[in-house]
Amino acid sequence: MAANTGTQSAEDIDSKDILRILEKHTEDRGGLIAILEEIQAEYGYLPEKSLRIISDKTGRPLVDVYSIATFYRSFSLKPRGKHLIYACLGTACHVRGAPRVVEELKHQLGIEAGETTPDKEFTLETVNCLGACALGPVVVIDGHYFSKVRKSRISQLLEQARNGFGTLEIGKDKRIFPLNVNCPHCNHSLNDDTYDIDGHPSIRVTISSGRKQGWLRLSCLYGSYNFASEFDVSIDSVVSFLCPHCGVLFPSTSDCSVCAAPMVRMLVDGGGILQICSRRGCKNHILDLV
Amino acid sequence: MITLKINGLDVSVEKGSTLLEAARFLGFPIPTLCYMDGLSPYGACRLCVVEIGEGAKAKLVSSCTYPSEEGLKVRTASSRVLRARRMILELLLASCPQSKIIQDLAAAHGIRRQRFKQEYEDCILCGLCVRMCEEQMMGKAIGFRGRGENRSIGTPFDIKSDVCRLCGGCMYVCPACQLRCTYNEPEKAICGACANLSPPCVEKEQFNDMMCYMDPCVACEIKKDK
């Protein structure tokens, strides 16, 4: 299932968007499901207007498009919420207590299966198997799988979904701790009190990519990959890291074992070396504490 | 020509004909519900089952969709076939007891009682109307929607279709008798003729004057009583 943007409503539907999607699929007949999938990814559901445009442009009868759109469970003709919850009611999950979990979900959200909460936050769907029967009851929220879910865990899961699963639980996880980092050349601290990421001062460096140069702020928490940057760096491109104080390029003594880009070296306050991969999207890093 | 054995008789039929066509041509009666001359065979009602093969390999197939094969041994009225047919009819009768066509077929097969709960469904999903609309009326106004127990026949979005010409062909072929009639909801209706009269669809004298293909509409009466 593609990401659910859920931000656009029926009035926003631009026939240009749909035509753009249609242009990509010129193959005979077979492209219909792919077209519907892309429209669903764009809007979170299949608006009536989009089906009419598809029928118009592909020359297939509207009734055929409609029958395909209603046949598959992954397509929805009704707008869906920001967070999509799939609760498994397959045989294995069922005997392990999935009905109670679904009841609790329905109760807490105040909706029936297949419905969306009035605030457009959650959509609850039941499915018949997710292929993880040994881990049942399984609940999937926004593509994150939760196994052996109990009734008591539902409120916590919903809360987590509201806040987003991308954020880490700082403080609870012992693998996460803050680091103070210094420039290996001028030994200035790179931690920046004026800009917090994850509730801690961020690590500020200067990056240059092509002709662009700007700041990049990394989370100082070891184990967190959150960051902010002045300009967008495209995924997989390699950037150079410079010290914002002395302007010297951070030295690189080794290449990333994952993607072969140069590893950037910084000093850890109190002794030690931190190396991070300079490729955007690569999460490889080495921490040597003395 | 293809030679095969139907009910023990060696016969030869035209190449490309189905078992149903072959058997009917030769005078062996096979009951059908979702089959109609001029429409493509669909194999939905399973009423036309025949037994092919011999011994342990014998199996039931729907004769309307099974092509004649060289040397095939077909039985159109073996005890297994009749048993299967009776069961199918009993089930059809349970889902649509108000249908005159199904009642007649059931009576002809000696079904005298109903073992199953009567559902009074509007539709047995035989697909006759869908094929009629597409193949004879060149319409494609109605089709199947959903799947499983939510499968139904109707127009996209349940509103009046742009391509529907109100020809009434779908209602004319419907064995469930009241399938396409949505009474006095003209927005949903394909026909909607009765909605133009008042009071709609309930006064029997007026009902007879209407442009309704389902005359007399038994289902209508049952729905009214409920």
Side-chain angles (χ1 to χ4, degrees):
Chain A
M1 177 70 57
N4 187 347
T5 54
T7 49
Q8 284 166 299
S9 64
E11 297 82 56
D12 301 333
I13 291 154
D14 195 350
S15 53
K16 273 190 212 136
D17 284 346
I18 293 159
L19 293 178
R20 178 173 47 77
I21 291 169
L22 279 168
E23 264 169 29
K24 286 194 278 179
H25 300 277
T26 47
E27 64 264 44
D28 202 39
R29 282 179 74 89
L32 182 56
I33 290 178
I35 293 168
L36 292 176
E37 273 179 338
E38 281 197 36
I39 291 172
Q40 168 112 357
E42 186 99 346
Y43 297 103
Y45 74 111
L46 298 173
E48 178 180 336
K49 192 175 157 194
S50 72
L51 297 191
R52 292 190 186 277
I53 295 170
I54 294 170
S55 155
D56 254 16
K57 297 294 165 191
T58 60
R60 304 195 59 177
L62 180 63
V63 70
D64 283 0
V65 180
Y66 187 77
S67 86
I68 302 260
T70 52
F71 185 88
Y72 294 99
R73 278 294 286 278
S74 57
F75 295 132
S76 169
L77 293 172
K78 282 184 281 180
R80 296 214 253 193
K82 227 191 282 173
H83 308 288
L84 202 51
I85 305 174
Y86 287 110
C88 184
L89 271 180
T91 314
C93 289
H94 198 280
V95 295
R96 283 160 171 262
R100 280 192 298 263
V101 172
V102 174
E103 273 312 307
E104 184 66 16
L105 278 168
K106 283 185 197 170
H107 176 71
Q108 294 213 3
L109 296 171
I111 50 171
E112 286 297 307
E115 291 179 358
T116 303
T117 50
D119 59 359
K120 298 266 181 289
E121 280 290 310
F122 290 100
T123 296
L124 176 64
E125 296 270 2
T126 58
V127 288
N128 288 329
C129 190
L130 290 161
C133 303
L135 300 171
V138 177
V139 172
V140 184
I141 306 179
D142 293 345
H144 295 261
Y145 283 67
F146 298 96
S147 56
K148 298 185 177 163
V149 177
R150 301 195 160 274
K151 219 172 120 176
S152 51
R153 211 173 133 199
I154 298 295
S155 55
Q156 180 214 335
L157 285 180
L158 292 181
E159 192 53 45
Q160 242 179 302
R162 273 197 192 92
N163 299 332
F165 292 103
T167 52
L168 290 156
E169 285 181 73
I170 299 150
K172 280 189 188 166
D173 200 327
K174 283 188 179 152
R175 293 167 301 179
I176 301 170
F177 50 89
L179 281 176
N180 288 321
V181 188
N182 296 340
C183 167
H185 188 255
C186 64
N187 213 16
H188 257 92
S189 172
L190 297 173
N191 288 58
D192 182 2
D193 296 333
T194 59
Y195 195 106
D196 284 3
I197 294 180
D198 294 333
H200 290 265
S202 59
I203 297 171
R204 181 165 70 106
V205 293
T206 305
I207 51 166
S208 76
S209 166
R211 285 184 178 174
K212 281 196 232 170
Q213 198 171 54
W215 53 259
L216 171 76
R217 286 179 163 93
L218 305 160
S219 171
C220 73
L221 295 175
Y222 185 73
S224 164
Y225 299 106
N226 295 331
F227 70 95
S229 63
E230 192 170 343
F231 60 89
D232 279 334
V233 182
S234 56
I235 288 274
D236 281 347
S237 60
V238 178
V239 295
S240 324
F241 284 62
L242 296 94
C243 172
H245 305 291
C246 63
V248 172
L249 199 69
F250 287 150
S252 171
T253 48
S254 61
D255 287 340
C256 173
S257 57
V258 177
C259 69
M263 296 290 277
V264 176
R265 208 156 70 121
M266 287 173 265
L267 295 180
V268 178
D269 199 24
I273 294 165
L274 170 70
Q275 296 189 70
I276 60 170
C277 179
S278 59
R279 191 184 297 273
R280 164 90 165 85
C282 178
K283 290 179 172 177
N284 193 21
H285 58 268
I286 303 163
L287 177 66
D288 286 320
L289 291 176
V290 181
Chain B
M1 298 294 269
I2 292 171
T3 52
L4 68 160
K5 229 178 184 138
I6 299 184
N7 292 350
L9 290 176
D10 286 311
V11 294
S12 56
V13 296
E14 226 167 279
K15 201 172 178 225
S17 63
T18 62
L19 290 183
L20 179 72
E21 285 161 351
R24 285 200 166 164
F25 178 71
L26 294 159
F28 298 111
I30 296 176
T32 53
L33 193 58
C34 76
Y35 177 84
M36 183 171 275
D37 283 329
L39 300 181
S40 56
Y42 189 58
C45 72
R46 316 310 286 181
L47 209 55
C48 63
V49 282
V50 293
E51 197 176 10
I52 58 165
E54 272 180 315
K57 279 190 174 174
K59 60 175 180 179
L60 295 175
V61 296
S62 61
S63 62
C64 70
T65 52
Y66 203 94
S68 300
E69 281 171 10
E70 187 68 40
L72 197 70
K73 295 198 168 81
V74 186
R75 287 175 298 287
T76 65
S78 64
S79 60
R80 187 179 172 194
V81 167
L82 291 179
R83 206 165 54 235
R85 235 173 242 165
R86 265 201 296 275
M87 176 55 100
I88 291 162
L89 272 170
E90 273 189 76
L91 291 167
L92 282 172
L93 196 60
S95 56
C96 222
Q98 72 274 23
S99 161
K100 178 87 168 65
I101 294 171
I102 297 173
Q103 285 171 9
D104 289 350
L105 276 166
H109 282 76
I111 292 164
R112 297 284 177 264
R113 66 200 168 98
Q114 281 200 300
R115 289 187 288 169
F116 306 113
K117 190 175 158 255
Q118 300 183 11
E119 302 277 1
Y120 296 104
E121 299 280 353
D122 295 344
C123 182
I124 55 168
L125 298 172
C126 68
L128 266 179
C129 53
V130 177
R131 283 173 285 151
M132 185 71 175
C133 189
E134 179 182 0
E135 293 169 16
Q136 290 296 331
M137 299 304 171
M138 309 302 153
K140 275 244 141 194
I142 52 173
F144 289 99
R145 294 111 29 115
R147 85 174 143 170
E149 60 171 2
N150 296 322
R151 196 165 160 87
S152 66
I153 292 175
T155 55
F157 307 106
D158 260 333
I159 50 174
K160 201 167 170 306
S161 169
D162 301 336
V163 286
C164 176
R165 301 190 304 271
L166 302 180
C167 69
C170 47
M171 289 185 276
Y172 178 71
V173 295
C174 181
C177 189
Q178 66 105 206
L179 176 60
R180 293 300 127 219
C181 181
T182 41
Y183 314 112
N184 48 1
E185 292 174 65
E187 273 307 301
K188 283 186 177 178
I190 288 168
C191 167
C194 64
N196 296 326
L197 298 166
S198 63
C201 205
V202 286
E203 299 276 334
K204 198 66 179 170
E205 299 84 1
Q206 291 202 15
F207 182 66
N208 285 339
D209 300 333
M210 282 173 214
M211 289 265 297
C212 187
Y213 293 87
M214 296 171 298
D215 170 33
C217 181
V218 188
C220 199
E221 303 290 303
I222 291 164
K223 277 247 156 118
K224 205 177 65 189
D225 293 341
K226 264 193 186 173

